[in-house]
Amino acid sequence: FVTNMGVKNKIDPVTGMWTVQEFRNDTEDLLYKNKGGAAVIIGLSNFKRVNDEFGYSYGDKTLYAIAHRMLAVRTPGTRLYRMDGSDFALLMGDVEREVEKMQQAFAMLDIERNQIHLDFRAGAVLFPQNGKYIDQIMSNMMIALENAKNAGRASVVFYTEEMHLKKTRVLRLRDAMRECVNDNFRGFSIVMQPIIDSRTGRGTSCETLLRWSDERFSGVGPMEFIPILEESGLILPCGAAGRWQRH
């Protein structure tokens, strides 16, 4: 019974791959032995559509098909894992060569006479250069994957310290803006920009622009803070009837 439970916890029941816990164990073992390597997380940005259109059982069959394609094309020595949701991970040496092989596994799938097209994105972390602890490596993998998804193309993105600093700044800005919204929209203001008819030189209308400033941050322009407001949902209260304009 103990043995069976041990195997159950190590093997993902849908794909037959090693689980996320085994990924953690194997990575920690490499770190303990002072062995370097590369950890890669592969994400399917449009897999939710498969579940929504065909159901979860069909989604599991799709994940199973992908997993066995990946196992078929991997280089000997590369270990594959099923992570959370529709994410997969690899522990390997030559990242770019291996990811190129994995892309073959994500080419058009034919599942029960339905052709499935999935978007392939990958984030890579070299360790111990970019991670000396398993939680740090996993966090940096997700940051790299997020950047790969934002790049908008099927590619592998390697983690850099600059990505971490950018992610930290975004989180700090989001928290600061949420605080300001809850404090009667402190720091928010509007700027009226006239629109001029180039033929007559006369103003025809004006454009209302949102601005935000906070003494804790410098140089925060609309190209930076507007996407954060949109992603966090804070844009809705900011645009609600201009409540804060009177303050």
Side-chain angles (χ1 to χ4, degrees), residues 12-237:
D12 174 58
V14 173
T15 63
M17 284 182 164
W18 300 110
T19 62
V20 60
Q21 185 57 49
E22 285 303 291
F23 173 82
R24 294 180 64 93
N25 293 340
D26 290 345
T27 306
E28 287 182 325
D29 185 57
L30 290 172
L31 292 168
Y32 177 77
K33 295 176 179 177
N34 293 318
K35 292 184 177 181
V40 177
I41 186 164
I42 294 174
L44 304 177
S45 58
N46 62 336
F47 184 77
K48 183 177 182 298
R49 180 187 62 83
V50 176
N51 283 333
D52 290 344
E53 186 172 350
F54 300 106
Y56 287 97
S57 177
Y58 187 91
D60 286 348
K61 292 178 182 178
T62 302
L63 291 174
Y64 176 86
I66 291 171
H68 283 262
R69 280 195 179 188
M70 294 173 70
L71 290 167
V73 301
R74 67 171 172 167
T75 300
T78 296
R79 293 193 63 134
L80 299 173
Y81 308 84
R82 164 84 187 281
M83 306 296 273
D84 295 331
S86 59
D87 292 344
F88 298 88
L90 304 85
L91 283 176
M92 68 187 78
D94 189 340
V95 175
E96 293 185 347
R97 179 185 174 191
E98 198 69 19
V99 169
E100 186 176 335
K101 287 186 174 184
M102 292 301 120
Q103 286 178 322
Q104 301 172 21
F106 288 83
M108 184 178 65
L109 296 165
D110 193 335
I111 311 293
E112 296 182 353
R113 299 181 181 179
N114 294 308
Q115 292 185 342
I116 305 297
H117 301 270
L118 296 170
D119 291 336
F120 174 103
R121 302 288 186 273
V125 174
L126 302 178
F127 60 86
Q129 301 96 308
N130 298 132
K132 297 181 180 180
Y133 308 98
I134 180 60
D135 288 337
Q136 184 183 23
I137 290 172
M138 294 186 72
S139 175
N140 292 346
M141 282 170 57
M142 296 308 298
I143 292 174
L145 178 61
E146 181 180 343
N147 278 265
K149 290 181 177 180
N150 291 337
R153 62 182 184 277
S155 62
V156 56
V157 171
F158 287 82
Y159 170 84
T160 65
E161 184 64 23
E162 182 181 351
M163 292 179 188
H164 177 76
L165 294 174
K166 181 180 178 180
K167 180 71 173 181
T168 301
R169 177 175 170 84
V170 167
L171 293 175
R172 291 184 61 213
L173 285 172
R174 185 190 64 189
D175 291 344
M177 284 189 284
R178 186 181 302 278
E179 176 187 314
C180 290
V181 167
N182 292 334
D183 188 16
N184 292 321
F185 301 91
R186 172 172 47 84
F188 287 95
S189 61
I190 58 172
V191 175
M192 309 300 289
Q193 178 172 293
I195 298 176
I196 307 299
D197 189 324
S198 59
R199 295 171 299 176
T200 65
R202 300 180 62 182
T204 58
S205 59
C206 66
E207 185 178 12
T208 303
L209 306 176
L210 180 64
R211 295 291 182 262
W212 178 72
S213 62
D214 189 293
E215 61 183 12
R216 293 169 291 181
F217 304 92
S218 61
V220 184
M223 294 294 291
E224 183 176 18
F225 76 78
I226 291 295
I228 298 174
L229 287 176
E230 292 174 338
E231 292 168 7
S232 63
L234 294 172
I235 195 70
L236 295 177

